[in-house]
Amino acid sequence: MTQSDPAIASPWVFRPLVTWKLFIWLFLGILVLTWSGKATQMDRALALTGQALIVSVTGKGDSQVAKGFSQMGRSLWPLQLETRTPITQIEHFQADRLPPFSRIEQRTGTTQSLDPSTGAYVKTTQKVSELVVPYGYGVTVFGKLIETLQIALWGTILSLLVSIPLGFFGARNLMGDGLVVAAARALVSFLRVVPELVSALFLVVAYGFGPIAGIIALGLHGAGFLGKFFADDSENADPKPQEALRALGANRLKLARFAVLPQVMPQFTAYTLYVLDRNIRMATVIGLVGAGGIGQELKGRFDLYAYGHVATILIAIFLMVLLIDQVSAKLRRKLL
Amino acid sequence: MGACVTFDNLSKVFPDGPQALSSISLRVEAGTFCVLLGPSGSGKSTLLRCINGLETPSGGRIHINDVEVRPHTLKDLRRRIGTIHQHFGLVSRDTVANNVLAGALPEVSTWRALVGWFPAKFQDRVASLLQSAGLEPSQLNRRASDLSGGQQQRVGIARAFMLSPPLILADEPIASLDPKLSHEILSLIAQQAGRVGATVLCSLHQIDLAKAFADRIVALNEGRVVFDGAPKDLTEAKVTQIYGATLLESERALAS
């Protein structure tokens, strides 16, 4: 019998790598992407960006995008670092005890006021003494950054406090397969699907502007993440020690503490660090809706068209995130 | 004093499998070292797991002394049963100390357990158990996974004896150990049980070791008792009957 005998089919059947099915799916995929690209103006984005690139390289022609970018760049520069405060607005001002490197400048200011007797606007010109602190705004921004970090820290603490019990009640290996697990898992999912920015919007209405709304928003969203991770890790932990302790007569809490926690501690730590990391980034964003921190300052300055201040804030945020990345990488290496 | 275990018409059927145990009736007297023999899948593990409630029997009863094994009596019974597991059942990332202390958990209040604050008498107990198991003091705070297999099983035995239980269940405690270690581990179990007169129910695969340690041998095959008697009564013919012809055939094949 020869090898090429067609009467005997080889039992070693290889599956073809490329089939007609693949081409059909590729074709359908391209169809969907074409339609969706049209809907999201991806073609226009490509054209505008290309035009801007050509204009900025050749220097000829006119581009809406290039103009927009250069206008933005010009308005961001120079950075605004100093603060100017009229002396009359400073309580207990002492001319001989100025902050270091500060000076007092005279400025002629014009104020407009309504004359109640005539009903007309009256312009009055007067000399105003201002205290100029050349680094004053830097100090303000630094304070806001510290506030942002604290919002992130307390948001993480809150999410730990909420997620540890939720993780326990959501773990099937500890609670069995019942209503408690389903309820805990549903709550965790709910917390996870509500974006921080949305819950912060509502919380600002309830708690007012400031860090409280931010902390609660971050804490609840983070609890949605951690609660799921904690429950899943617990379920994936080695079941043998759990069975051993169950056979001894240990209750659920003792089981969680002695058979599960030691096994999952490294993952728990990693997830908590991740949530802290994420909270620091998100804490700058949720400030935009008034939930405290550097974001609130950014939004305020942006609305006042104070782009010099905005530039200072953006650079400060960039530096902070860079620093936090380094620190958290070090921390991760040390703890895990 | 040891506990006396009575099986009364015990049977167990797994939903998706064959009958694991069918109508087992046995009485294991207090203080006996009883070895369970039988091929894999003969129901040894299931029998042991029914005693401490890790499996629920489909029919029949188990009594420990005069207390029936039921869901509501389990909590109390389990603290008087020490279990030694085939794969040790240790938390590999946790310390040796914590693994053994876990054996005292039923006697420690939940709040003390959560913060890991065990009464001093349990720490003394851990030290003396580990010492008689042949572990070094320097190994107390090592991770369980850093120890060798034999040492891990010694830790597992220390945990099982933590509360001096009158009944010890050992499910193939030497399955992954070499012959010399196997002998040492079984000696340790027998010696520790002997101190308090505890009853031992131990499943094994090694017939020579069973004969060396057992007061009584019970053999199972396909969920039925096929031999029950003193070690000296376990003849070659009986072994063939227990394991079927396959065992002897493969042994002969190895010999030739």
Side-chain angles (χ1 to χ4, degrees), chain A residues 243 246 251 254 257-258 266, chain B residues 49 93 105 108 110 113-114:
Chain A
E243 184 167 82
R246 196 171 295 127
N251 63 25
K254 292 172 181 173
R257 167 71 180 78
F258 278 88
Chain B
R49 290 167 67 84
R93 288 187 60 93
L105 280 177
V108 179
T110 302
L114 285 183

Side-chain angles (χ1 to χ4, degrees), chain A residues 124-138:
Chain A
T124 45
T125 313
Q126 58 185 138
K127 290 237 180 213
V128 184
S129 303
E130 284 180 332
L131 172 67
V132 180
V133 185
Y135 50 84
Y137 193 61

Side-chain angles (χ1 to χ4, degrees), chain B residues 114-193:
Chain B
L114 285 183
V115 297
W117 181 32
F118 285 86
K121 65 170 178 180
F122 289 128
Q123 296 188 351
D124 297 342
R125 176 88 181 134
V126 170
S128 79
L129 278 170
L130 285 178
Q131 188 159 26
S132 51
L135 266 84
E136 301 292 326
S138 61
Q139 289 169 319
L140 184 67
N141 294 309
R142 299 267 299 278
R143 274 190 189 175
S145 55
D146 290 349
L147 305 185
S148 66
Q151 284 171 328
Q152 287 192 38
Q153 191 58 294
R154 287 167 203 273
V155 174
I157 292 168
R159 178 176 65 189
F161 280 98
M162 195 62 197
L163 297 175
S164 310
L167 175 61
I168 290 288
L169 308 176
D171 189 5
E172 294 185 26
I174 54 171
S176 49
L177 304 177
D178 68 38
K180 182 168 172 286
L181 275 174
S182 298
H183 199 276
E184 286 175 20
I185 291 291
L186 283 178
S187 307
L188 180 64
I189 296 174
Q191 171 211 336
Q192 293 283 4

Side-chain angles (χ1 to χ4, degrees), chain B residues 23 177 219 234 242 254:
Chain B
S23 326
L177 304 177
L234 188 67
I242 296 165
L254 278 174

Side-chain angles (χ1 to χ4, degrees), chain A residues 25 27 74 83 88 111 187 205 264 300:
Chain A
W25 280 116
F27 179 70
R74 268 200 303 277
T83 47
T88 47
T111 47
L187 183 54
V205 175
V264 296

